[in-house]
Amino acid sequence: MKTVVRDKQWAEKYPELGTEPVPTEPYYSDEHYALERERIFKRTWINVGRVDDIPEPGDYFVRDLAICKVSVLIIRGSDGVVRGFHNVCSHRGNTLVLDGRGTCPGSVYCHFHNWVYSDTGELIRVPDEENFFELDKRDHGLTPVNTDIWEGFVFVHLDPEPAETLRGYLGGVAEQLDGCPFHEMRLMQTYKVEERANWKVALDAQNELYHLPFQHHLLVGDAFVKNDKGLIRFQDVNLYNYHSVWSCENNPARSLPPLESMLFAVDDRAPIIRIPQMIGEFDFFVVFPNFVLLLFEVGNSTSYISYNLWPLAVDRTIWEIRMHFRDPGSTRERLQQEYFKCIIRDALQEDAFAHENIHAGLASRAKSHVVLQDEEAPIRYFHKVLEDHCGFYRNA
Amino acid sequence: MADAALPEAFEDLAPWLDWALEPERARTAKKVTSSMEELRALYDAVMPRMEEIIAYLDGVPSDDRPAPAHRLYLITLSLVEVSNLVEIYKRREVIEACDPLHFDPQH
Ligand code: FES
Ligand SMILES: [Fe+2]
């Protein structure tokens, strides 16, 4: 076992995090939400999907960044390059593509007056063009949005001149996960869960394991290594520039429910496919601000889940959950994946229920601060990065 | 027999054909409208046959299953769908979770 079940080890490792209570206002303040729009969502790299979402030339998807009131069109051009554009027509500003995803035959057109754009963003046809006044089509292509790709993940940056490259922004996360075989794991299921909660309530509630033996005591309370009081200890916590990861080990002594034990108890197991970039057996990377990569083992393989927390309003969020697995080599493996998908989904349904209750409690303003224990250090770090960006208290 | 509902060795599972549902949301919807007794009955009928079913399905191409084998496969997915309720929660009430249908699977 690599886990050291010691108390207060993360405060020792990261003394600069401090131990003070964390203020609650950022969870419900409209003013803070406005700062998040201007200083975070318009000024950092935001994951919007994966290249696998648009494998063929002409494939596209649209991502509404509701907090910024911006709709982004991500499209793979006939030249194979993935580009991002504001999803806005150059004529009179109509929203260009109306469906969330699809494929276009080399061009997209606006439904208002049929202006046509190539799949690389140039304006190529204007009905009644002669009746415009010195219209040079070359000046009226789609407005590009900075778009870059890391390990198949597509990120956009709404600032026309990003302060950092995507690579620089991802920093230690990219160094840790470079070469991770994400492309070998296929999207099996996406859930979009609309919640009456601030996006940070939902994220923070996922960003610790303290709650596992309590809130999820039936489903997954025993999943990870604990101390002799039955409390989970991380194997490791790592903080990067803006981002963080906590890692833990599976509990080898967990007793399996009958179906799980039937599905997983086989002696003719294929060799275990591990991901060498993983730190523990369950790694929870938070890529600031709203993207999570969660890597874990299933049977003799590894899988990953991603979350995107999409703020719709200060008290409304879409929690997008995507589950990815390797192509199953057998019926048993396929059912192992289905089993994991269902048990994780059901545990996340317990979380979704809690998120709304937590938000209601915080928004009642009964508590000006929340107190965090050592195993909640990743939340503490997230709020530090949040304040570093927003300056809500610094400027107050 | 092209019109057999299930592969011959599993014809006795015919009472569970109404669980041969897809996509996932259809299985979840049936789960949430079934009684605990109904869920347990499905579980008790299918669980003891799982090894046999897996061995059978492994002999059929997974990307091109004949309709009877595909129905059998969907019944096993329904078993997985309900297993948490039967094995772990052991009840329908007082589960502190959101409505399962609130998790909208996208396709
Ligand atoms: S607004 Fe798009 S063609 Fe007129
Ligand atoms: Fe949870």
Side-chain angles (χ1 to χ4, degrees):
Chain A
M1 194 171 83
K2 294 175 188 143
T3 306
V4 180
V5 292
R6 214 151 45 80
D7 289 353
K8 298 183 182 153
Q9 50 189 324
W10 313 121
E12 262 171 50
K13 183 172 179 184
Y14 294 107
E16 66 277 16
L17 282 184
T19 56
E20 287 79 45
V22 168
T24 57
E25 211 174 337
Y27 290 115
Y28 53 76
S29 149
D30 290 320
E31 232 176 296
H32 199 279
Y33 188 73
L35 288 171
E36 290 169 3
R37 170 187 305 127
E38 297 306 322
R39 298 183 182 174
I40 297 176
F41 285 89
K42 288 186 178 175
R43 297 233 195 118
T44 56
W45 288 96
I46 304 292
N47 169 258
V48 290
R50 270 192 68 77
V51 290
D52 317 67
D53 298 339
I54 42 172
E56 302 297 331
D59 289 354
Y60 63 83
F61 64 82
V62 170
R63 182 62 85 173
D64 281 314
L65 303 175
I67 183 171
C68 302
K69 298 190 172 67
V70 166
S71 170
V72 177
L73 171 66
I74 305 290
I75 184 163
R76 188 185 286 275
S78 346
D79 55 0
V81 176
V82 172
R83 295 180 180 81
F85 300 100
H86 282 273
N87 184 25
V88 176
C89 178
S90 305
H91 175 219
R92 286 194 15 232
N94 188 23
T95 300
L96 188 63
V97 175
L98 301 176
D99 50 348
R101 60 188 302 174
T103 186
C104 65
S107 61
V108 286
Y109 72 97
C110 176
H111 293 252
F112 201 178
H113 313 91
N114 266 39
W115 281 33
V116 180
Y117 304 86
S118 71
D119 57 17
T120 52
E122 294 94 26
L123 175 60
I124 51 178
R125 201 170 68 82
V126 174
D128 210 3
E129 185 178 349
E130 302 70 33
N131 215 24
F132 278 88
F133 305 92
E134 292 163 33
L135 177 77
D136 187 342
K137 291 207 286 301
R138 284 169 303 185
D139 297 337
H140 297 275
L142 297 176
T143 305
V145 171
N146 278 298
T147 302
D148 203 353
I149 294 163
W150 167 77
E151 291 295 351
F153 294 101
V154 181
F155 288 77
V156 297
H157 198 303
L158 293 183
D159 191 330
E161 284 172 35
E164 282 174 287
T165 62
L166 174 62
R167 179 80 209 182
Y169 180 72
L170 292 175
V173 170
E175 278 159 35
Q176 181 67 39
L177 292 179
D178 269 343
C180 183
F182 292 110
H183 60 281
E184 290 174 12
M185 295 175 264
R186 269 217 295 212
L187 181 61
M188 182 188 192
Q189 191 62 266
T190 300
Y191 301 98
K192 286 193 180 173
V193 186
E194 193 166 338
E195 302 191 334
R196 277 133 62 104
N198 182 268
W199 64 281
K200 303 184 297 297
V201 169
L203 179 54
D204 289 353
Q206 298 300 309
N207 200 8
E208 46 99 343
L209 289 178
Y210 180 27
H211 74 287
L212 228 71
F214 307 108
Q215 190 189 330
H216 303 302
H217 65 112
L218 290 173
L219 281 184
V220 287
D222 260 346
F224 303 115
V225 165
K226 301 179 186 183
N227 67 11
D228 55 8
K229 296 184 193 122
L231 299 162
I232 296 177
R233 290 290 177 260
F234 292 134
Q235 176 190 323
D236 205 356
V237 172
N238 286 284
L239 307 181
Y240 308 111
N241 207 11
Y242 320 127
H243 322 295
S244 64
V245 56
W246 51 257
S247 309
C248 58
E249 281 180 290
N250 296 330
N251 172 8
R254 183 170 69 99
S255 63
L256 309 187
L259 178 59
E260 184 178 353
S261 117
M262 180 262 143
L263 288 174
F264 286 84
V266 276
D267 11 286
D268 58 343
R269 272 204 179 168
I272 297 182
I273 307 174
R274 290 238 158 83
I275 295 179
Q277 289 84 357
M278 282 179 70
I279 299 166
E281 291 170 319
F282 189 101
D283 288 346
F284 191 95
F285 287 84
V286 176
V287 178
F288 190 82
N290 67 331
F291 183 45
V292 169
L293 284 171
L294 194 171
L295 286 71
F296 63 103
E297 297 193 350
V298 176
N300 49 29
S301 182
T302 35
S303 306
Y304 83 96
I305 295 176
S306 61
Y307 300 152
N308 298 84
L309 285 305
W310 297 113
L312 301 180
V314 67
D315 56 359
R316 279 176 57 222
T317 298
I318 288 178
W319 182 16
E320 180 172 337
I321 302 159
R322 291 176 167 218
M323 301 194 182
H324 310 74
F325 295 92
R326 290 179 194 268
D327 283 341
S330 65
T331 306
R332 183 181 301 276
E333 224 176 292
R334 171 66 189 87
L335 292 174
Q336 290 175 346
Q337 296 173 351
E338 184 73 12
Y339 185 84
F340 260 84
K341 183 188 81 178
C342 287
I343 199 149
I344 292 172
R345 178 200 64 191
D346 293 358
L348 299 186
Q349 287 172 359
E350 295 182 335
D351 287 311
F353 174 80
H355 296 166
E356 297 196 346
N357 294 330
I358 298 163
H359 183 88
L362 292 167
S364 79
R365 303 174 189 225
K367 304 288 181 190
S368 65
H369 288 76
V370 291
V371 285
L372 300 176
Q373 67 130 313
D374 196 49
E375 291 285 315
E376 292 168 302
I379 299 175
R380 193 180 286 289
Y381 182 60
F382 176 85
H383 282 261
K384 184 178 178 303
V385 177
L386 183 77
E387 171 59 12
D388 286 349
H389 281 75
C390 290
F392 184 68
Y393 296 96
R394 188 169 63 231
N395 300 347
Chain B
M1 288 268 298
D3 57 351
L6 285 168
E8 207 183 321
F10 302 98
E11 273 170 350
D12 58 309
L13 296 178
W16 315 104
L17 273 167
D18 55 344
W19 283 96
L21 295 168
E22 59 188 335
E24 174 183 330
R25 192 169 177 78
R27 297 188 291 273
T28 306
K30 185 155 174 67
K31 174 180 77 172
V32 300
T33 52
S34 297
S35 69
M36 203 59 211
E37 290 65 40
E38 288 166 326
L39 301 181
R40 203 180 302 278
L42 169 75
Y43 181 90
D44 289 344
V46 180
M47 181 67 181
R49 308 291 297 281
M50 281 299 278
E51 289 290 3
E52 210 186 322
I53 294 174
I54 289 174
Y56 176 82
L57 290 176
D58 269 338
V60 175
S62 64
D63 50 354
D64 188 26
R65 288 188 192 101
H70 188 63
R71 289 188 202 102
L72 182 64
Y73 169 67
L74 293 178
I75 291 174
T76 68
L77 295 189
S78 282
L79 172 76
V80 176
E81 176 73 44
V82 308
S83 76
N84 290 338
L85 278 173
V86 175
E87 294 182 343
I88 301 175
Y89 286 112
K90 301 192 170 83
R91 59 168 189 245
R92 300 301 311 273
E93 319 75 37
V94 217
I95 293 174
E96 294 199 330
C98 72
D99 175 356
L101 290 172
H102 192 56
F103 268 49
D104 192 6
Q106 316 274 310
H107 300 283

